[in-house]
């Protein structure tokens, strides 16, 4: 389940093990049989570090989702609530355990209640439980610090959806505190990171907190040879453009089209139905979406995920030939030994075959979309904006999309992109878009438009000077001849556009940020460099030609295409740097804009 | 390429099925969740509980009720889950088997230093207090009595960026300071202020919040925040009253207009809805009989409302609330939007005469001419989407100015007359001959082309 975490440059399985150890310790604190009541949101992130079997071995016999009303019957000694620190969840818990709710007969046996807050305890929540008169019912209130979750061999995520909104819209920096905490945990496991670079307001805060926490823990330093050479902290708001663009890598497109949550994608079942075994033909076609786990544990997926989608067909058909050839081998197997050898390879080959079948189906599904006129038109407009064509006029394609009532998020992505690429829109144009949007989609969306303005995604032009072209040219954000099949530059991930955030990372490694001071000043927030003292004797002596390892932390989210671009840089022969990526959340333009929208609360 | 790999996959599949297929490489349920994953297990244990619960509620208990611990299939041990995995490769990671004691040593202690033995000293500095709060230890805020001490504590909490601690300190300050003083101090402390606002929202202290915003001179924020609450009002009459109440809030000029429009719109929708519901159920109007309403018009955007009005209330006099003209005027709908919406509705009803009238203008001499604020090629697309007949379509294709665009549209929608006439006007004999090859022999189009080609009066350019 987790082997793929340990193959990379940095063994992230150590982090996972540490998290599992804590979980086991907590479970053992509650002696006897247990039932867990889950805040449903948490089952996804927890799934990345543990299976039910782990819980089961620690006497967890039942699991429920947290719901109003009374608790379901369960003949166990302990009831443990695994919840996020949210007030509305406290009310549900109070309802669950309140005496008034008439417990079912077999619940009369005395039981112990516990709460495990994830990722942090909250005084506000405890106060609410107190007001509801149930705080005293809990034997144990604890927290489970699930800061950085190993997502893949080179990828860590805090799986915190609201981080961007909280930091940039609500000025609530709690997630930055968690980030700093998570980075301290990481340093406890992998050694002190000697160099810290950063760009942006939030990056500065996180670095400050880290330095401060380090001072506080002085004396209890871990004697571990540093695994990371440097840390780069990047604010999402220094590069608002990249997530708005449609990702064009295989994994990026799966996320754009179907969404990947906690490492799983839900796909339409029709294409996969045919794969069932013959004996099951009689069964009805499944209507439930097919849920598929996507990570580098799957050999084929690891190979193709970061390719431009236009290179996927070739990659799959090449793979098909190899697998076919391997199956053909059986005709050559004559001796018992040869047959035995063939048979022993069979499971592996079958896994490869089913993996190929799955990805061929997914690629077909996505191809239907990428070859559609609508997709092409949308992409054309995006690329016009990114290259600076007519960003100061009302765009007729956007107008048409509004007239056709295309999904609002699509419209917002485009309008924001135009605004970002023009360093703000002329007041008249901004007003025009706003009016069209409110009239077509409803006046209540003025709240969302306000939010977008507050975060800088949408803004009126203040200065007459549009500095986006300068940034684009200096950082070479647009490459005319992006090679999709055999890329030689990161711009392949968006078929021409090189993500700004990754360019900054690239330039930092070589030749250094001093070469782009001008541009750095145009982007919001300070840029900085800090050094952390290493205990004597822990200084790494680099071998000739040995790569540096850099941890890049995206505060406020990162896209799969950006991850792909960093992996591409890691693999470059003369790159000299390998990257491990961390973020508050894997995002795409849609999920990102959605997190900034104001909607009615669920009834 | 995809086809190729698909073919390969299929051929392999048939190949494989001859073999004894033992496809337990990984255990996944159909929905794809690995058997034994947490979310899968939650569903499993829950469903077994539910079914036993139902049985209990029945009046005739069945003999088979065995509400003991469900022996559901989620009881895979780790080792059984990994069995398949091990087969796939040579590398079973050591860490997969967490039972191995050597691994436990591998995961270092995360809980932090044991250097904190000052637990019994009660004169903690603000810094120490905040640290203790963060570590979940016993602490006391009561000893921070003077305003200065309290503010030092607050600043220290803000410095730690831990929302949990900031909120806890704010709760203490709220209790122990007059609101005037607290508000005054928060003005210069943006982050603390944000957390305070969030806190007041969470606990529903609307009144205090309004006071806070007023004293901060952040009236626009306050107005928006109060407006936001309308999202949670379900009853339409209550929502209307709520919005009406919002009108007096100090919005920015733009937002004030939007809120006014929002209110006016809902007010009208309520009137229209009540009226139309009644008319529809009484069966008085044909339009409702022919096209029963699919949904209520309440809470729909203005453009949708206009469409509805153009569909069900076309031709009503300007004075009625439900007439398109009145809606257009009240909500300042642009010519383009009005035309597009109206066109969509009338075309849906196949009211081609109305469609025609939308574009017809008369000049002062009484001549009529067709005009449109939107290119006619888009009009053609919209009409086509609404299944307009060729006779209607070709009138509009003819109005497309760009000749190439006109021809390509005409070809797309098979408007033969337009194509033939255009080539004739262009004196393009070659193209006409080519086109003759594309139409059915002996059809009226074919004959028309023949006729033109044999016209000796025409001077062809080729």
């Amino acid at each position: 389940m987790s082997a793929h975490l340990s193959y990379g440059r940095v063994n992230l399985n150590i982090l996972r093990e540490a998290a599992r150890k804590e979980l086991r310790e907590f479970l053992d604190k509650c002696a006897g049989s247990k039932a867990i009541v889950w805040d449903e949101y948490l089952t996804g992130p927890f799934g990345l570090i543990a299976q039910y079997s782990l819980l089961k071995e620690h006497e967890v016999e039942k699991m429920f989702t947290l719901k109003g009303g009374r608790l379901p019957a369960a003949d166990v000694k302990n009831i443990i609530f695994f919840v996020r620190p949210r007030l509305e969840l406290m009310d549900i818990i109070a309802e669950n355990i309140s005496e008034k709710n008439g417990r079912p007969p077999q619940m009369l046996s005395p039981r112990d209640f516990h709460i495990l807050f994830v990722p942090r305890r909250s005084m506000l929540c405890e106060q609410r439980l107190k007001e509801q008169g149930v705080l005293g019912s809990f034997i144990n209130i604890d927290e489970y610090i699930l800061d950085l979750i190993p997502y893949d061999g080179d990828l860590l995520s805090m799986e915190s959806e609201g981080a961007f909104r909280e930091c940039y819209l609500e000025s609530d920096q709690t997630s930055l505190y968690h980030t700093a905490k998570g980075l301290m945990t990481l340093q406890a496991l992998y050694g002190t990171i000697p160099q810290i670079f950063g760009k942006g307001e939030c990056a500065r805060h996180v670095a400050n907190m880290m330095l401060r926490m380090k001072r506080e823990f002085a004396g209890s330093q871990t004697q571990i040879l540093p695994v990371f050479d440097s840390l780069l902290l990047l604010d999402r708001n220094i590069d608002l453009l990249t997530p708005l663009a449609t990702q064009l890598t295989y994994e990026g497109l799966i996320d754009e089209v179907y969404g990947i949550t906690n490492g799983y994608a839900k796909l339409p079942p029709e294409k996969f139905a045919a794969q069932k075994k013959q004996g099951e033909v009689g069964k009805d076609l499944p209507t439930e979406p097919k849920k598929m786990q996507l990570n580098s544990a799957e050999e084929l997926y690891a190979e193709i995920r970061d390719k431009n989608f236009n290179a996927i067909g070739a990659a799959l058909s090449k793979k098909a030939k190899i697998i076919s050839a391997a199956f053909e081998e059986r005709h050559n197997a004559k001796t018992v030994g040869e047959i035995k050898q063939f048979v022993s390879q069979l499971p592996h080959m079958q896994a490869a075959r089913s993996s190929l079948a799955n990805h061929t189906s997914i690629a077909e599904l996505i191809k239907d979309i990428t070859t559609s006129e609508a997709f092409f038109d949308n992409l054309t407009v995006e690329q016009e904006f990114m290259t600076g064509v007519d960003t100061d006029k009302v765009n007729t394609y956007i107008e048409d999309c509004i007239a056709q009532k295309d999904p609002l998020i699509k419209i917002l992505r485009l309008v924001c992109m135009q605004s970002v690429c023009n360093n703000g829109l002329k007041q008249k144009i901004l007003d025009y878009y706003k009016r069209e949007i409110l009239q077509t989609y409803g006046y209540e969306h003025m709240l969302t438009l306000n939010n977008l303005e507050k975060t800088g995604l949408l803004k009126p032009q203040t200065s007459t000077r549009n500095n986006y072209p300068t940034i684009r040219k200096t950082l070479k954000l647009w490459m005319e001849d992006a090679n999709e099949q055999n890329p030689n530059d990161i711009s392949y991930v968006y078929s021409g556009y090189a993500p700004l955030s990754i360019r900054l990372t690239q330039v930092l490694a070589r030749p250094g940020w001093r070469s782009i001071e001008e541009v750095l000043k145009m982007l919001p927030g300070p840029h900085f460099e800090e050094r952390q003292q290493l205990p004597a004797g822990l200084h790494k002596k680099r071998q000739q030609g040995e790569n540096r390892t850099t941890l890049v932390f995206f505060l406020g989210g990162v896209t799969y295409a950006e991850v792909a671009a960093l992996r591409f840089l890691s693999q470059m022969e003369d790159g000299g740097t390998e990257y491990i990526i961390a973020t508050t959340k894997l995002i795409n333009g849609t999920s990102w804009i959605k997190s900034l929208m104001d909607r009615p609360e669920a009834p | 390429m995809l086809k190729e790999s698909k073919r390969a996959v299929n051929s392999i599949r048939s190949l494989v099925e001859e073999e004894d297929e033992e496809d337990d490489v990984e255990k996944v349920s159909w929905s794809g969740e690995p058997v034994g994953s947490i979310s899968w297990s939650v569903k499993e244990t829950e469903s077994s509980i539910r079914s036993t619960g139902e049985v209990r509620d029945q009046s005739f208990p069945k003999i088979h009720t065995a509400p003991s611990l469900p022996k559901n299939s989620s009881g895979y041990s780790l080792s059984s889950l990994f069995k398949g995995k091990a087969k796939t490769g040579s590398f079973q990671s050591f860490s997969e088997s967490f039972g191995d004691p050597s691994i436990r040593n591998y995961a270092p202690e995360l809980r932090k230093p044991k250097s904190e033995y000052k637990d019994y000293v009660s004169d903690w500095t603000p810094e120490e207090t905040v640290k203790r709060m963060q570590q979940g230890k016993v602490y006391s805020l009561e000893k921070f009595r003077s305003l200065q001490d309290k503010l030092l504590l607050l600043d220290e909490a803000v410095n730690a960026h831990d929302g949990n601690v900031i909120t806890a300190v704010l709760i203490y300050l709220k209790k122990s300071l007059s609101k005037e003083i607290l508000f005054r101090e928060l003005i210069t402390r943006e982050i603390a202020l944000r957390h305070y606002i969030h806190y007041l929202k969470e606990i529903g202290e609307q009144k205090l919040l309004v006071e806070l915003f007023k004293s901060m001179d952040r009236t626009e924020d306050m107005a928006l925040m109060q407006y936001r609450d309308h999202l949670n009002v379900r009853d339409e009459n209550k929502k209307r009253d709520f919005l009406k109440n919002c009108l007096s809030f100090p919005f920015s000029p733009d937002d004030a207009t939007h809120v006014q429009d929002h209110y006016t719109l809902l007010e009208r929708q309520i009137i229209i809805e009540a009226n139309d519901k009644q008319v529809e159920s009484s069966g008085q109007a044909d339009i409702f009989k022919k096209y029963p309403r699919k949904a209520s018009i309440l809470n729909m955007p203005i453009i949708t409302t206009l469409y509805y009005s153009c569909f069900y209330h076309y031709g009503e006099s300007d004075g009625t609330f439900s007439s398109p003209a009145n809606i257009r005027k009240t909500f300042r709908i642009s010519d383009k939007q009005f035309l597009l919406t109206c066109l969509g509705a009338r075309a849906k009803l196949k009211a081609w005469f109305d469609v025609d009238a939308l574009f017809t203008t008369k000049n002062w001499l009484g001549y009529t001419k067709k005009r449109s604020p939107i290119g006619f090629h888009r009009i053609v697309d919209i009409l086509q989407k609404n299944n307009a007949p060729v006779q209607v379509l070709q009138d509009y294709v003819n109005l497309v100015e760009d000749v190439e665009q006109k021809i390509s549209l005409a070809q797309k929608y098979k408007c033969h007359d337009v194509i033939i006439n255009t080539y004739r006007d262009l004196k393009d004999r070659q193209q006409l001959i080519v086109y003759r090859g594309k139409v059915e022999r002996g059809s009226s189009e074919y004959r028309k082309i023949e006729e033109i080609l044999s016209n000796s009066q025409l001077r062809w350019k080729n």
Side-chain angles (χ1 to χ4, degrees):
Chain A
M1 289 294 134
S2 60
H4 63 286
L5 296 178
S6 43
Y7 300 154
R9 169 94 176 183
V10 174
N11 183 356
L12 294 182
N13 212 11
I14 297 175
L15 183 64
R16 185 173 183 266
E17 278 312 319
R20 289 162 68 94
K21 182 173 176 242
E22 282 225 20
L23 183 58
R24 288 196 296 266
E25 279 172 4
F26 171 78
L27 290 172
D28 290 341
K29 260 192 227 167
C30 320
S33 57
K34 308 166 185 64
I36 295 178
V37 184
W38 285 96
D39 170 356
E40 203 168 6
Y41 178 88
L42 289 176
T43 57
F46 263 86
L48 291 167
I49 56 157
Q51 297 280 298
Y52 180 44
S53 48
L54 181 147
L55 306 176
K56 190 128 184 137
E57 283 172 22
H58 292 263
E59 295 179 85
V60 175
E61 292 174 357
K62 293 267 167 69
M63 306 220 279
F64 310 108
T65 23
L66 185 63
K67 270 185 218 134
R70 68 174 200 206
L71 278 179
D75 187 17
V76 290
K77 181 152 186 304
N78 300 285
I79 303 273
I80 312 174
F81 293 90
F82 277 38
V83 286
R84 286 168 296 165
R86 299 237 173 149
L87 286 183
E88 64 273 17
L89 300 180
M90 298 308 110
D91 295 345
I92 298 176
I93 292 178
E95 201 181 328
N96 280 173
I97 68 170
S98 149
E99 302 283 341
K100 281 172 287 179
N101 261 314
R103 295 181 178 176
Q106 80 264 50
M107 276 183 71
L108 288 174
S109 59
R111 296 196 303 172
D112 296 344
F113 291 109
H114 313 262
I115 293 190
L116 189 63
F117 282 113
V118 185
R120 298 268 290 145
R121 277 175 86 142
S122 144
M123 302 189 200
L124 203 50
C125 286
E126 286 169 42
Q127 198 198 25
R128 175 63 69 98
L129 290 172
K130 199 170 172 185
E131 283 163 18
Q132 300 267 21
V134 294
L135 188 66
S137 313
F138 292 96
I139 303 244
N140 199 349
I141 294 181
D142 215 330
E143 65 185 8
Y144 182 71
I145 308 170
L146 196 63
D147 284 331
L148 280 169
I149 306 168
Y151 205 87
D152 213 321
D154 56 358
L155 183 57
L156 299 159
S157 169
M158 295 171 68
E159 292 300 275
S160 157
E161 226 148 10
F164 183 85
R165 184 185 173 112
E166 286 161 18
C167 285
Y168 300 99
L169 183 62
E170 290 159 357
S171 314
D172 176 352
Q173 300 177 332
T174 307
S175 67
L176 300 183
Y177 172 72
H178 290 167
T179 303
K181 277 281 207 189
L183 284 165
M184 295 313 282
T185 306
L186 215 60
Q187 293 188 90
L189 296 170
Y190 300 98
T192 303
I193 306 175
Q195 266 183 308
I196 304 177
F197 298 92
K199 170 69 187 166
E201 211 63 67
C202 293
R204 184 69 260 186
H205 283 314
V206 170
N208 287 349
M209 276 187 272
M210 284 174 70
L211 296 173
R212 184 176 151 154
M213 287 174 187
K214 184 161 184 269
R215 277 199 302 278
E216 283 164 13
F217 294 142
S220 65
Q221 243 169 9
T222 41
Q223 295 293 314
I224 299 174
L225 199 66
V227 173
F228 296 103
D229 296 289
S230 58
L231 163 67
L232 170 60
L233 295 159
L234 290 176
D235 273 38
R236 184 71 269 174
N237 81 337
I238 59 166
D239 174 13
L240 295 171
L241 173 57
T242 303
L244 294 170
T246 303
Q247 309 171 68
L248 295 176
T249 57
Y250 181 50
E251 185 165 48
L253 272 167
I254 297 178
D255 188 39
E256 294 279 346
V257 178
Y258 298 107
I260 302 178
T261 322
N262 304 132
Y264 286 88
K266 282 184 180 166
L267 301 157
E270 305 82 24
K271 286 260 180 189
F272 301 92
Q275 274 170 239
K276 292 182 131 192
K277 293 174 197 167
Q278 275 171 340
E280 294 174 64
V281 170
K283 278 192 185 171
D284 289 354
L285 280 180
T287 46
E288 219 186 308
K290 163 110 176 141
K291 217 174 154 187
M292 210 182 281
Q293 190 166 25
L294 298 169
N295 61 38
S296 57
E298 192 184 347
E299 196 185 310
L300 174 64
Y301 188 62
E303 242 171 77
I304 61 173
R305 66 197 307 182
D306 299 321
K307 287 188 191 296
N308 184 291
F309 187 70
N310 284 333
I312 289 300
L316 287 176
S317 86
K318 194 172 133 204
K319 193 78 182 175
K321 279 178 196 143
I322 294 170
I323 295 175
S324 299
F327 274 98
E328 283 308 311
E329 280 293 305
R330 78 199 153 130
H331 298 302
N332 302 333
K334 298 281 187 291
T335 69
V336 174
E338 281 167 355
I339 291 171
K340 210 171 161 188
Q341 209 208 335
F342 179 82
V343 169
S344 76
Q345 285 168 355
L346 210 51
H348 181 71
M349 285 159 61
Q350 279 170 353
R353 185 258 306 163
S354 95
S355 161
L356 178 66
N358 280 338
H359 288 291
T360 306
S361 301
I362 298 175
E364 281 179 330
L365 285 166
I366 289 177
K367 200 172 170 215
D368 288 346
I369 289 159
T370 55
T371 49
S372 70
E373 207 176 316
F375 187 88
F376 181 82
D377 290 347
N378 186 70
L379 200 61
T380 308
V381 173
E382 283 186 12
Q383 301 199 338
E384 279 173 9
F385 288 160
M386 290 191 285
T387 49
V389 177
D390 287 345
T391 49
D392 55 351
K393 298 189 183 115
V394 169
N395 182 284
T396 49
Y397 176 72
I398 297 182
E399 248 185 322
D400 291 355
C401 290
I402 296 176
Q404 290 168 41
K405 280 207 132 202
D406 279 356
L408 175 59
I409 291 187
K410 174 185 174 181
I411 308 293
L412 295 175
R413 267 178 91 157
L414 285 171
V415 174
C416 289
M417 188 181 229
Q418 186 177 353
S419 171
V420 172
C421 291
N422 199 53
N423 196 20
L425 295 169
K426 281 187 202 141
Q427 191 68 48
K428 233 177 86 190
I429 294 173
L430 182 60
D431 289 346
Y432 175 78
Y433 281 138
K434 279 165 89 171
R435 198 189 66 203
E436 295 280 297
I437 289 169
L438 295 179
Q439 289 190 338
T440 308
Y441 298 92
Y443 292 110
E444 65 273 21
H445 294 293
M446 65 185 254
L447 293 165
T448 299
L449 293 175
N450 258 294
N451 291 348
L452 295 173
E453 284 194 55
K454 277 185 192 143
T455 50
L457 272 160
L458 195 61
K459 61 180 184 185
Q461 212 169 37
T462 42
S463 67
T464 42
R465 196 173 140 70
N466 171 13
N467 55 24
Y468 174 72
T470 317
I471 299 172
R472 186 183 71 232
K473 280 173 206 147
T474 315
L475 294 179
K476 296 196 179 66
L477 298 187
W478 186 261
M479 304 294 276
E480 272 311 327
D481 42 7
N483 188 336
E484 293 167 346
Q485 304 292 332
N486 298 300
N488 48 18
D489 180 75
I490 55 169
S491 54
Y492 86 92
V493 298
Y494 289 98
S495 292
Y497 167 70
L500 195 159
S501 57
I502 311 304
R503 271 289 192 254
L504 288 182
T505 311
Q506 196 180 7
V507 173
L508 177 66
R510 196 183 294 165
W513 275 358
R514 214 162 283 167
S515 62
I516 51 162
E517 287 278 342
E518 285 291 299
V519 164
L520 284 173
K521 275 185 205 141
M522 290 175 184
L523 302 172
H527 57 281
F528 59 89
E529 179 185 348
E530 298 282 353
R531 275 170 197 281
Q532 297 200 96
Q533 278 300 316
L534 291 179
L538 290 185
H539 288 279
K540 206 165 157 187
K541 290 188 186 64
R542 197 182 312 284
Q543 305 290 321
Q544 187 75 38
E546 190 189 331
N547 281 349
R548 292 169 57 85
T549 306
T550 297
L551 175 66
V552 189
F553 205 122
F554 294 86
L555 303 163
V558 69
T559 65
Y560 286 98
E562 285 172 297
V563 171
L566 278 179
R567 286 186 182 139
F568 172 79
L569 290 180
S570 292
Q571 284 155 13
M572 285 224 309
E573 262 175 40
D574 53 351
T577 308
E578 283 188 49
Y579 296 98
I580 303 292
I581 304 133
T583 183
T584 46
K585 176 83 186 163
L586 271 307
I587 57 166
N588 60 45
T590 301
S591 65
W592 191 38
I593 298 279
K594 217 183 223 166
S595 79
L596 293 170
M597 292 176 82
D598 270 308
R599 290 149 175 274
E601 284 151 29
Chain B
M1 298 259 211
L2 280 179
K3 279 197 190 105
E4 213 175 298
S5 72
K6 177 135 198 185
R7 220 179 301 122
V9 167
N10 288 336
S11 70
I12 298 167
R13 187 174 303 134
S14 56
L15 222 159
V16 167
E17 263 145 16
E18 297 163 19
E19 324 277 348
D20 181 21
E21 190 161 358
E22 192 195 324
D23 199 0
D24 61 351
V25 176
E26 50 176 344
K27 287 198 170 77
V28 284
S29 66
W30 165 252
S31 63
E33 232 124 9
V35 170
S37 82
I38 286 176
S39 54
W40 181 83
S41 307
V42 171
K43 280 177 211 136
E44 280 295 294
T45 54
E46 257 187 346
S47 57
S48 64
I49 284 295
R50 288 241 177 77
S51 56
T52 56
E54 275 166 24
V55 169
R56 205 175 298 120
D57 292 339
Q58 281 171 359
S59 40
F60 300 108
K62 284 178 192 155
I63 300 161
H64 289 297
T65 349
S68 63
L69 256 184
K71 284 216 172 76
N72 55 49
S73 47
S74 45
Y76 292 108
S77 71
L78 255 192
S79 55
S80 81
L81 267 168
F82 289 140
K83 224 184 268 162
K85 191 88 201 224
K87 265 197 245 170
T88 62
S90 42
F91 23 65
Q92 183 189 16
S93 158
F94 60 86
S95 42
E96 280 190 336
S97 46
F98 68 79
D100 185 341
S102 66
I103 303 313
R104 295 187 182 226
N105 305 337
Y106 220 85
E109 197 65 52
L110 292 182
R111 294 275 155 143
K112 274 295 145 175
K114 293 172 176 125
S115 56
E116 304 285 320
Y117 288 116
K118 274 174 85 185
D119 283 21
Y120 304 102
V121 190
S122 58
D123 56 344
W124 297 307
T125 63
E127 196 179 347
E128 283 167 329
T129 306
V130 166
K131 212 195 290 175
R132 295 186 66 84
M133 291 169 86
Q134 287 184 304
Q135 290 163 349
K137 292 186 182 161
V138 181
Y139 62 90
S140 152
L141 298 181
E142 273 71 28
K143 65 172 217 63
F144 295 94
R145 287 213 190 83
S146 72
L147 177 62
Q148 200 198 349
D149 283 353
K150 285 175 187 170
L151 293 174
L152 279 174
L153 179 68
L154 180 60
D155 292 340
E156 192 55 44
V158 168
N159 248 328
H161 300 274
D162 184 344
N164 194 21
V165 174
I166 299 173
T167 308
V169 171
L170 285 169
I171 293 172
Y172 171 62
L173 297 193
K174 178 170 178 269
K175 262 188 271 178
S176 64
L177 287 176
S178 79
K179 66 184 177 214
E180 288 76 18
I181 294 174
L182 180 57
F183 289 0
R184 189 190 68 208
E185 295 301 333
L186 286 175
I187 289 179
T188 53
R189 293 174 171 80
E190 175 68 24
I191 291 178
L193 174 65
R194 285 280 165 183
H195 282 272
Y196 193 57
I197 292 169
H198 184 72
Y199 167 66
L200 293 182
K201 269 188 212 164
E202 288 267 296
I203 60 170
E205 287 222 34
Q206 195 79 5
K207 247 176 149 180
L208 193 58
L209 207 46
V210 171
E211 280 182 59
L212 175 67
F213 277 127
K214 271 190 191 147
S215 77
M216 302 269 147
D217 217 17
R218 293 203 183 188
T219 47
E220 285 179 20
D221 282 352
M222 174 194 86
L224 276 176
M225 182 198 74
Q226 287 181 288
Y227 169 76
R228 175 177 294 123
D229 282 343
H230 87 269
L231 292 172
N232 297 317
V233 181
R234 307 222 170 266
D235 177 79
E236 66 267 15
N237 289 309
K238 281 191 191 137
K239 185 179 269 200
R240 178 198 55 206
D241 297 345
F242 188 98
L243 288 170
K244 190 174 184 186
N245 190 36
C246 285
L247 295 178
S248 60
F249 297 160
F251 290 101
S252 69
D254 279 356
D255 287 347
T257 322
H258 300 323
V259 175
Q260 173 70 54
D261 285 345
H262 193 173
Y263 164 70
T264 315
L265 177 61
L266 183 59
E267 191 187 29
R268 281 198 186 194
Q269 286 173 336
I270 291 172
I271 296 169
I272 296 172
E273 177 68 22
N275 178 61
D276 288 3
K277 213 171 174 177
Q278 196 261 326
V279 171
E280 184 175 29
S281 62
S282 69
Q284 290 164 355
D286 284 346
I287 181 85
F288 291 111
K289 267 190 259 173
K290 228 169 143 189
Y291 303 96
R293 303 187 315 148
K294 288 193 188 104
S296 128
I297 193 64
L298 296 171
N299 295 316
M300 292 296 165
I302 178 62
I303 294 297
T304 314
T305 311
L306 177 65
Y307 183 92
Y308 177 95
S309 151
C310 290
F311 198 93
Y312 290 110
H313 297 276
Y314 206 65
E316 279 178 16
S317 74
D318 293 8
T320 64
F321 271 177
S322 48
S323 73
N326 192 306
I327 290 178
R328 175 189 195 170
K329 200 169 141 234
T330 311
F331 296 94
R332 304 170 308 283
I333 289 165
S334 70
D335 292 351
K336 268 192 207 174
Q337 281 274 32
F338 182 78
L339 182 85
L340 282 173
T341 312
C342 204
L343 176 66
R346 299 323 288 171
K348 184 96 193 161
L349 288 167
K350 314 225 174 297
W352 309 122
F353 182 78
D354 292 341
V355 169
D356 199 56
L358 278 174
F359 300 100
T360 309
T361 50
K362 262 190 194 154
N363 71 6
W364 57 279
L365 283 173
Y367 294 120
T368 62
K369 198 182 173 209
K370 287 219 170 107
R371 276 175 199 278
S372 163
I374 305 156
F376 276 107
H377 63 283
R378 287 206 45 214
I379 308 293
V380 172
D381 283 337
I382 294 169
L383 288 171
Q384 198 275 334
K385 272 186 196 135
N386 285 293
N387 303 318
V390 174
Q391 298 87 296
V392 174
L393 269 185
Q394 65 184 11
D395 284 352
Y396 293 90
V397 174
N398 250 330
L399 290 165
V400 174
E401 277 184 22
D402 183 88
V403 175
E404 263 178 50
Q405 198 173 26
K406 186 198 282 190
I407 289 186
S408 91
L409 273 176
Q411 285 182 334
K412 198 163 149 194
Y413 301 132
K414 304 211 162 41
C415 305
H416 303 296
D417 277 356
V418 177
I419 297 169
I420 297 166
N421 293 342
T422 310
Y423 286 145
R424 184 196 58 202
D425 296 348
L426 289 172
K427 311 205 186 319
D428 195 337
R429 201 166 62 102
Q430 293 304 326
Q431 287 286 5
L432 208 50
I433 292 170
V434 171
Y435 198 69
R436 184 178 56 181
K438 288 182 188 162
V439 299
E440 206 179 316
R441 220 182 156 80
S443 62
S444 61
E445 301 84 80
Y446 189 87
R447 267 174 294 159
K448 184 170 174 180
I449 296 175
E450 291 278 82
E451 214 172 280
I452 295 171
L453 286 175
S454 59
N455 185 342
S456 55
Q457 305 273 301
L458 282 165
R459 289 188 174 197
W460 300 102
K461 73 170 183 191
N462 50 24

